[in-house]
Amino acid sequence: MNKFDGRTKFIFVTGGVISGIGKGIVAASIANILKARGFKIFVQKLDPYLNLDPGVLSPYEHGEVYVTQDGGETDLDLGHYERFTDEKLTKDSNFTSGKIFQNLIDKERSGHYHGKTVQIVPHFTNEIIDIIVNTAKKHNPDFLIIEIGGTVGDMESTAFIRAIAEFGSFNSEITHYIHTTYIPFLETSKDFKTKPTQYSISSLLSMGIKPHTIILRAHNKLPVEICEKISKSVFLSRENIIPLHDVESVYEIPLYLESLNLAKNIMKHFKMKDKNPNHEEWTNFVNKINQPKNKQVTIGMVGKYTTFEDAYKSVNEALFISSIHQSIDLKIKWISSEEINAQNVSSKLSQLDGVVILPGFGLRGFEGKIEVALYTRENDIPTLGICLGMQVMTIAQARLIGYKDANSSEVCETGTMIFHLINKGDDMLGGTLRLGESTVEFKKDTLFREVYGKESAKERHRHRYEVNKEYSNQLEKNDFSFSGFDNLTGLIETCEVKNKKFYLGTQYHPEFNSTTLNPHPLFIAFLKSC
């Protein structure tokens, strides 16, 4: 490959020892502290798994599917990137091995390789390098922060490590490697163990990468001698060994890394003059987290993946962020919609201050959500329905006004289909949803217009079934109305019931447009009503 000739500097974040130690938060935090210096940033995640994207993955596998403004179905880490940077990312921010292999095979079938044997090295690794280079050229950031999914030593991630090592070998002056690794603590001997991290770094070295910065993750604060031991074992200056223990909130981490001079070390590595960061707003938010709150609010989260909170990561974070901005002590109660019926719904919901009917797909737990929508409306419990949540609120309205067999064609083949499939004829699951951002226009004198304080808003979608307009006029009775519509297609986007504290449903996903310093108005209004 040739040397990169653009202005972009490249920061690669790898992980060692075990997965789930916070590489995504580290990458997001690095982007945060660099943006605070006025730099233009772009963040990307390269995932080693063979799925084309997370679109048809169970939420139990990797958590929620995060949707970008241009309709990319991506890893949940992109949610961290956007919340920490207040930047809108794109499909260019997430590539999987599956997507890369698809590009590779398409090229092979078209004769691109002129009869040559196509191999992992150099062809697959070249595809990875091309993605990195093309992303930098297209978005032209000062810094491109690239998280490599998986753990060093995984079979699946080896080609990615090889690719970024090759990239760095030709572009050493514009490349910075950060290795995030884990230091376990043995309760029996009461000491931290560094051997797993030493082995992880040794694996990186064997593949051509010497980290410039090592971030040591641990549950508790690490003794100084542990950092010094790692420093000596890998021949790296002590200032480039960053201990990172568990903190009260992940939103503290950018300021913590700033206090340990991570950004200054990055600037020094790139021979760039450091700038004074502006962390004022971020610091104010973090300070609010630990301040005494004005009131406590308990929210019931009703869905079918409630045993795995990451399945609803962005909703959870949107509520938390909004609660901090309003000095609310937020308590979350997870409720499985599969376990709800007409007989027990009161016992499960009556003590709550508010309810979120969560997104989802399919029959499982569907009727339980309808019971929730009926109960919270009748008992005036503030309710926010998102995507499928909005659909069950609408079906609940249909049943209340006489359509006793009201349902959705997603879960039932007979009855009055209040929701139906618009784009028929495609049997594929992946990539066939209505995805991405579009403009929603709100009617005058509606609750949505009041909450947003404007006539329209751009919101992101991820669904397949829409309100059947054959019934829309009949459904608008007893203070129930459809108040938001897609500005181009006229598709129904929102429902609401007047004369209630808060009973609003959105076909779109407002949680994807809620960031740390700019919480979404729907979540603010919802918590305020509780």
Side-chain angles (χ1 to χ4, degrees), residues 200-371:
S200 177
I201 296 167
S202 176
S203 296
L204 266 183
L205 290 168
S206 71
M207 289 185 275
I209 292 177
K210 181 179 179 181
H212 301 102
T213 299
I214 295 174
I215 295 179
L216 303 178
R217 285 284 291 112
H219 292 299
N220 301 311
K221 287 186 177 181
L222 287 167
V224 172
E225 53 266 27
I226 293 294
C227 298
E228 291 174 346
K229 184 176 182 179
I230 295 297
S231 171
K232 291 177 181 178
S233 69
V234 299
F235 310 112
L236 197 61
S237 170
R238 170 63 184 84
E239 67 180 6
N240 295 108
I241 309 296
I242 309 288
L244 178 56
H245 60 277
D246 291 349
V247 291
E248 184 72 22
S249 168
V250 294
Y251 299 103
E252 297 175 33
I253 293 176
L255 299 179
Y256 177 78
L257 294 179
E258 185 73 84
S259 72
L260 295 180
N261 298 318
L262 176 57
K264 290 181 179 179
N265 291 344
I266 291 172
M267 294 294 107
K268 181 180 177 181
H269 170 80
F270 289 126
K271 296 180 173 57
M272 298 171 67
K273 184 178 179 180
D274 196 14
K275 300 180 181 180
N276 291 325
N278 181 0
H279 290 300
E280 183 178 355
E281 285 187 86
W282 197 270
T283 301
N284 289 340
F285 176 81
V286 170
N287 288 340
K288 289 177 183 177
I289 292 174
N290 297 316
Q291 289 175 352
K293 305 300 186 288
N294 293 333
K295 67 173 182 177
Q296 185 180 100
V297 169
T298 302
I299 300 298
M301 300 276 264
V302 180
K304 67 177 183 179
Y305 305 113
T306 51
T307 57
F308 187 53
E309 295 179 17
D310 274 1
Y312 306 106
K313 187 64 176 177
S314 290
V315 177
N316 214 7
E317 294 304 311
L319 284 169
F320 173 75
I321 289 165
S322 296
S323 74
I324 297 304
H325 281 282
Q326 297 183 89
S327 190
I328 291 172
D329 181 13
L330 179 67
K331 304 296 182 185
I332 296 293
K333 182 179 180 182
W334 294 95
I335 303 169
S336 171
S337 57
E338 291 182 86
E339 299 173 0
I340 295 178
N341 53 51
Q343 288 69 47
N344 67 14
V345 64
S346 177
S347 64
K348 290 184 178 292
L349 304 184
S350 61
Q351 301 304 309
L352 299 173
D353 299 305
V355 169
V356 178
I357 308 178
L358 293 161
F361 293 91
L363 176 61
R364 186 161 58 89
F366 188 78
E367 287 295 330
K369 288 184 175 182
I370 294 175
E371 291 296 340

Side-chain angles (χ1 to χ4, degrees), residues 67-72 434-438 459-462:
V67 179
T68 56
Q69 60 175 339
D70 59 347
R434 180 184 171 198
L435 293 165
E437 191 174 80
S438 62
E459 295 287 359
R460 303 183 200 183
H461 303 77
R462 184 175 183 256

Side-chain angles (χ1 to χ4, degrees), residues 33-254:
I33 59 181
L34 291 174
K35 184 180 177 182
R37 286 165 162 74
F39 291 113
K40 181 182 178 182
I41 55 93
F42 195 81
V43 196
Q44 184 177 67
K45 185 172 187 186
L46 303 179
D47 274 310
Y49 53 76
L50 290 175
N51 305 71
L52 287 179
D53 57 40
V56 296
L57 280 172
S58 164
Y60 291 123
E61 292 291 309
H62 295 278
E64 75 173 3
V65 176
Y66 190 84
V67 179
T68 56
Q69 60 175 339
D70 59 347
E73 292 181 285
T74 69
D75 187 85
L76 67 75
D77 274 332
L78 270 73
H80 295 312
Y81 304 162
E82 290 202 351
R83 284 188 291 273
F84 276 57
T85 64
D86 209 8
E87 294 283 336
K88 287 189 175 185
L89 301 175
T90 70
K91 293 177 181 178
D92 295 330
S93 287
N94 197 200
F95 286 85
T96 67
S97 286
K99 190 179 293 185
I100 298 168
F101 271 123
Q102 186 179 60
N103 292 339
L104 196 70
I105 297 303
D106 287 346
K107 286 182 177 181
E108 188 273 337
R109 292 290 84 185
S110 68
H112 178 83
Y113 298 107
H114 304 294
K116 295 288 187 181
T117 301
V118 179
Q119 299 174 292
I120 296 297
V121 180
H123 302 101
F124 185 78
T125 52
N126 283 347
E127 286 289 318
I128 297 170
I129 293 169
D130 286 347
I131 285 168
I132 294 167
V133 169
N134 291 338
T135 300
K137 288 180 176 179
K138 179 178 178 180
H139 296 278
N140 196 31
D142 295 306
F143 291 95
L144 176 55
I145 299 101
I146 302 156
E147 177 191 354
I148 306 299
T151 306
V152 171
D154 290 346
M155 257 190 295
E156 295 89 346
S157 63
T158 300
F160 290 86
I161 301 299
R162 162 82 190 208
I164 66 173
E166 182 180 345
F167 178 89
S169 71
F170 286 89
N171 298 281
S172 59
E173 71 282 359
I174 57 170
T175 300
H176 190 100
Y177 298 114
I178 296 179
H179 190 52
T180 304
T181 181
Y182 180 64
I183 303 290
F185 181 80
L186 295 188
E187 288 291 342
T188 51
S189 57
K190 301 298 181 185
D191 64 344
F192 291 95
K193 293 297 182 182
T194 63
K195 280 293 187 291
T197 283
Q198 292 182 56
Y199 180 78
S200 177
I201 296 167
S202 176
S203 296
L204 266 183
L205 290 168
S206 71
M207 289 185 275
I209 292 177
K210 181 179 179 181
H212 301 102
T213 299
I214 295 174
I215 295 179
L216 303 178
R217 285 284 291 112
H219 292 299
N220 301 311
K221 287 186 177 181
L222 287 167
V224 172
E225 53 266 27
I226 293 294
C227 298
E228 291 174 346
K229 184 176 182 179
I230 295 297
S231 171
K232 291 177 181 178
S233 69
V234 299
F235 310 112
L236 197 61
S237 170
R238 170 63 184 84
E239 67 180 6
N240 295 108
I241 309 296
I242 309 288
L244 178 56
H245 60 277
D246 291 349
V247 291
E248 184 72 22
S249 168
V250 294
Y251 299 103
E252 297 175 33
I253 293 176

Side-chain angles (χ1 to χ4, degrees), residues 283-516:
T283 301
N284 289 340
F285 176 81
V286 170
N287 288 340
K288 289 177 183 177
I289 292 174
N290 297 316
Q291 289 175 352
K293 305 300 186 288
N294 293 333
K295 67 173 182 177
Q296 185 180 100
V297 169
T298 302
I299 300 298
M301 300 276 264
V302 180
K304 67 177 183 179
Y305 305 113
T306 51
T307 57
F308 187 53
E309 295 179 17
D310 274 1
Y312 306 106
K313 187 64 176 177
S314 290
V315 177
N316 214 7
E317 294 304 311
L319 284 169
F320 173 75
I321 289 165
S322 296
S323 74
I324 297 304
H325 281 282
Q326 297 183 89
S327 190
I328 291 172
D329 181 13
L330 179 67
K331 304 296 182 185
I332 296 293
K333 182 179 180 182
W334 294 95
I335 303 169
S336 171
S337 57
E338 291 182 86
E339 299 173 0
I340 295 178
N341 53 51
Q343 288 69 47
N344 67 14
V345 64
S346 177
S347 64
K348 290 184 178 292
L349 304 184
S350 61
Q351 301 304 309
L352 299 173
D353 299 305
V355 169
V356 178
I357 308 178
L358 293 161
F361 293 91
L363 176 61
R364 186 161 58 89
F366 188 78
E367 287 295 330
K369 288 184 175 182
I370 294 175
E371 291 296 340
V372 169
L374 290 166
Y375 181 86
T376 59
R377 179 173 173 179
E378 180 182 353
N379 292 276
D380 199 13
I381 298 174
T383 305
L384 173 61
I386 300 174
C387 199
L388 188 64
M390 176 268 195
Q391 296 183 15
V392 299
M393 293 165 87
T394 303
I395 291 170
Q397 163 67 2
R399 294 184 183 182
L400 282 172
I401 64 173
Y403 294 99
K404 299 302 182 184
D405 63 347
N407 222 312
S408 167
S409 61
E410 179 179 6
V411 301
C412 185
E413 294 181 357
T414 60
T416 302
M417 294 304 161
I418 303 300
F419 283 82
H420 64 166
L421 191 62
I422 296 292
N423 299 316
K424 298 180 180 180
D426 196 335
D427 293 330
M428 299 293 287
L429 286 177
T432 59
L433 299 168
R434 180 184 171 198
L435 293 165
E437 191 174 80
S438 62
T439 299
V440 181
E441 293 183 343
F442 307 113
K443 285 182 177 179
K444 290 182 179 179
D445 303 319
T446 61
L447 299 173
F448 272 94
R449 176 79 76 93
E450 181 182 338
V451 166
Y452 278 82
K454 54 186 179 181
E455 298 177 359
S456 65
K458 289 184 177 181
E459 295 287 359
R460 303 183 200 183
H461 303 77
R462 184 175 183 256
H463 64 277
R464 185 176 280 113
Y465 294 82
E466 305 281 357
V467 175
N468 187 343
K469 288 191 176 180
E470 180 182 342
Y471 299 101
S472 59
N473 290 335
Q474 296 95 305
L475 290 172
E476 293 190 295
K477 295 178 181 177
N478 303 335
D479 291 328
F480 180 94
S481 66
F482 297 114
S483 49
F485 301 83
D486 185 278
N487 72 320
L488 296 178
T489 64
L491 291 171
I492 293 171
E493 296 273 15
T494 69
C495 69
E496 61 181 64
V497 175
K498 291 186 177 180
N499 301 316
K500 298 290 181 183
K501 294 176 185 174
F502 190 101
Y503 194 87
L504 280 70
T506 68
Q507 183 63 85
Y508 50 83
H509 289 259
E511 69 271 24
F512 296 145
N513 275 325
S514 189
T515 63
T516 309

